[in-house]
Amino acid sequence: MPAQIIDGKTLAETVRNQVAVETRQLIYDTGIVPHLAAVLVGSDPASEVYVRNKERACQKAGLKSTLHRLDAATTQADLLALITTLNCDMKIHGILVQLPLPMHLDATQILDAILPTKDVDAFHPENTGLMLQGRPRFLPCTPAGVMKMLEVSQVPTAGKHAVVIGRSDIVGKPMAALLVQKGVDATVTICHSRTADIGAICRTADILIAAVGIPEFVKSDMIKPGAVVIDVGINRVNERLVGDVDFNAAMTVASAITPVPGGVGPMTIAMLLQNTLKSARQSAGRTSST
Ligand code: GUN
């Protein structure tokens, strides 16, 4: 039987509709309009697409979004000055600096400068620490989107072996941290470029999460029959988007799989909106239900 498709596009729409309802309520109750400030330095084509999609999603859900476009030659000092301005602006609830930044900029210093209470990407070390300790302020958007997909698809996690391929600060590491939390209770392995016999480890995974950034890296012989496969990759190959998993081959082995496009990608944006709404609520002294 071919794998069940975990439809991120539809689930993301459900989440975004929920955010829209709650945003209307917040505006009605407090007059506060959740406001995301996105910063794009240069004109990387993929980043342009991501930022445009984020802006469109904000508008559709009733959130305000402002895009700050900076020249590719922007200096570290100028970018830090913009972050400081946004940090101090009481009407801004979320700040997002689109990555990657041009090579001459120090991304770590920039991300560290974002006020943690406005860090809706959840990249700041304070937010990473809170998440790791199981008391998150914001959850990082892509791993949070994956967790939501597992939850809604009723994928059992307790005592299951989850293997994460990739150790990035944005996806791999926080993904593993969320899977190991109490209540999720997976047993987690992180694989990376220096892992010995990665195929053998992947084949023991009940839940296999590919976040490696290599087109179709995961072949069918790396998947345990019946495993749930989550594909975080978005790679452009000959003008076509492909994931980190050989989708057609994996379909014949896995019990469930996320497609690319239409899987994890839309969920990332939905979680960003949820974080921005949460931040606006917290600025109003309200606790959040989501
Ligand atoms: N570039 C790729 N993914 C992301 C993300 O989730 N947030 C930001 N800010 N930049 C990215």
Side-chain angles (χ1 to χ4, degrees):
M1 207 168 57
Q4 173 210 335
I5 304 284
I6 302 177
D7 180 355
K9 195 167 168 222
T10 302
L11 177 56
E13 197 176 321
T14 306
V15 173
R16 285 191 275 110
N17 288 341
Q18 182 67 27
V19 169
V21 168
E22 294 180 22
T23 297
R24 271 198 298 277
Q25 189 66 46
L26 181 71
I27 295 170
Y28 180 81
D29 290 344
T30 67
I32 291 173
V33 183
H35 187 168
L36 175 71
V39 180
L40 177 61
V41 185
S43 54
D44 173 66
S47 293
E48 292 268 4
V49 173
Y50 289 139
V51 166
R52 201 177 323 130
N53 288 343
K54 287 168 189 173
E55 283 217 290
R56 201 175 294 152
C58 279
Q59 279 152 17
K60 278 176 76 173
L63 284 75
K64 193 167 177 202
S65 83
T66 306
L67 175 60
H68 296 264
R69 280 181 170 279
L70 302 184
D71 190 86
T74 296
T75 64
Q76 186 82 3
D78 283 348
L79 183 49
L80 282 172
L82 173 60
I83 301 290
T84 303
T85 303
L86 297 172
N87 281 344
C88 295
D89 186 339
M90 297 289 282
K91 287 203 159 75
I92 302 280
H93 307 102
I95 301 170
L96 177 148
V97 176
Q98 185 64 36
L99 302 176
L101 286 171
M103 288 291 283
H104 68 280
L105 295 173
D106 177 352
T108 303
Q109 191 191 35
I110 299 296
L111 297 178
D112 284 1
I114 295 172
L115 197 64
T117 51
K118 298 189 180 189
D119 169 38
V120 286
D121 259 330
F123 292 164
H124 192 283
E126 183 176 310
N127 288 323
T128 304
L130 289 170
M131 182 266 305
L132 199 59
Q133 291 185 355
R135 49 189 187 119
R137 178 186 282 129
F138 302 118
L139 290 176
C141 300
T142 300
V146 172
M147 295 309 292
K148 183 82 181 170
M149 292 172 112
L150 294 176
E151 182 196 319
V152 169
S153 309
Q154 297 182 306
V155 174
T157 53
K160 300 297 180 187
H161 187 202
V163 173
V164 180
I165 315 173
R167 56 175 159 183
S168 71
D169 290 338
I170 295 182
V171 183
K173 286 184 208 164
M175 188 72 252
L178 292 183
L179 286 161
V180 84
Q181 292 297 322
K182 263 205 188 326
V184 181
D185 298 322
T187 303
V188 182
T189 303
I190 304 181
C191 295
H192 48 78
S193 54
R194 304 297 297 271
T195 298
D197 203 352
I198 201 165
I201 295 171
C202 291
R203 268 190 301 281
T204 67
D206 303 301
I207 301 166
L208 183 60
I209 300 181
V212 70
I214 301 173
E216 301 184 332
F217 176 81
V218 175
K219 307 293 182 198
S220 61
D221 65 0
M222 295 168 73
I223 301 170
K224 176 163 130 179
V228 173
V229 177
I230 306 288
D231 191 348
V232 180
I234 302 177
N235 310 287
R236 199 171 287 275
V237 178
N238 301 330
E239 296 307 305
R240 197 169 64 92
L241 286 186
V242 297
D244 290 350
V245 177
D246 182 349
F247 181 81
N248 290 332
M251 275 289 283
T252 64
V253 186
S255 64
I257 186 167
T258 62
V260 177
V264 176
M267 289 302 294
T268 299
I269 295 181
M271 295 298 132
L272 175 71
L273 301 193
Q274 213 171 63
N275 280 348
T276 307
L277 170 62
K278 184 175 184 183
S279 179
R281 275 212 189 103
Q282 287 178 344
S283 78
R286 292 171 161 243
T287 49
S288 180
S289 65
T290 48

